[in-house]
Amino acid sequence: MYCGVLPSLLLQDVQDFMQQLLGKIEDDFPQQALWAMATVCKSTVRARQEAASSILNQAKRRSGDTGRALFESFGRLSDQLIRTCMWQPPGDKRVSRCSALKEFKHLVGMLPVDVQVPVQVSMQRHVMVAACCGSALLAGRGWLRSR
């Protein structure tokens, strides 16, 4: 749930505490945390980039050989995925077919990779409503109807 507010938190007064907390999350759940941190590393705000890079570098130093390999694989994979997203068909022609081996050979050459790629729904922000208070509030306003 912290993923949605992560960019803002890295610039507030709680930055040192948050960096320690995020570092611990990164240590215990690297596959999940890497995706959230990758978005901040690519931020257009320099301070956010630096804070996220610092957290990742510290976590990388604390991890063993397999952890370091995961960080390196993740970095290469995220760069290739961004490159794939930015791909434009050559010329002004309409393209009816595209060859992954030809157009994205660096990405295909990385496969198989040990990085877990999340499904889109897991990357979306969700608003949680407390079961007792939220349901009562919504029912009182007519937004939640019992059947």
Side-chain angles (χ1 to χ4, degrees), residues 17-77:
F17 171 75
M18 288 306 300
Q19 284 187 341
Q20 291 175 359
L21 177 64
L22 292 171
K24 290 181 182 191
I25 292 170
E26 190 80 41
D27 292 343
D28 293 338
F29 306 101
Q31 293 280 356
Q32 294 81 359
L34 279 171
W35 290 102
M37 294 301 291
T39 60
V40 183
C41 284
K42 302 295 182 182
S43 173
T44 56
V45 178
R46 186 111 179 122
R48 289 179 183 167
Q49 284 181 353
E50 290 170 359
S53 294
S54 172
I55 293 168
L56 288 175
N57 288 334
Q58 290 171 14
K60 186 177 178 181
R61 278 192 293 265
R62 287 189 303 268
S63 65
D65 291 338
T66 56
R68 278 191 284 279
L70 174 66
F71 281 86
E72 291 169 9
S73 293
F74 181 83
R76 288 191 308 271
L77 177 63

Side-chain angles (χ1 to χ4, degrees), residues 28-36 38 69-71 73-75 77-78 81 110-120 122-123:
D28 293 338
F29 306 101
Q31 293 280 356
Q32 294 81 359
L34 279 171
W35 290 102
L70 174 66
F71 281 86
S73 293
F74 181 83
L77 177 63
S78 65
L81 290 174
M110 291 181 63
L111 301 176
V113 66
D114 291 332
V115 177
Q116 296 174 2
V117 180
V119 294
Q120 184 175 356
S122 69
M123 299 299 282

Side-chain angles (χ1 to χ4, degrees), residues 80-97:
Q80 291 303 317
L81 290 174
I82 290 169
R83 187 179 286 170
T84 301
C85 290
M86 303 302 283
W87 181 78
Q88 295 279 330
D92 294 333
K93 301 176 187 176
R94 182 182 162 148
V95 176
S96 60
R97 289 186 178 187

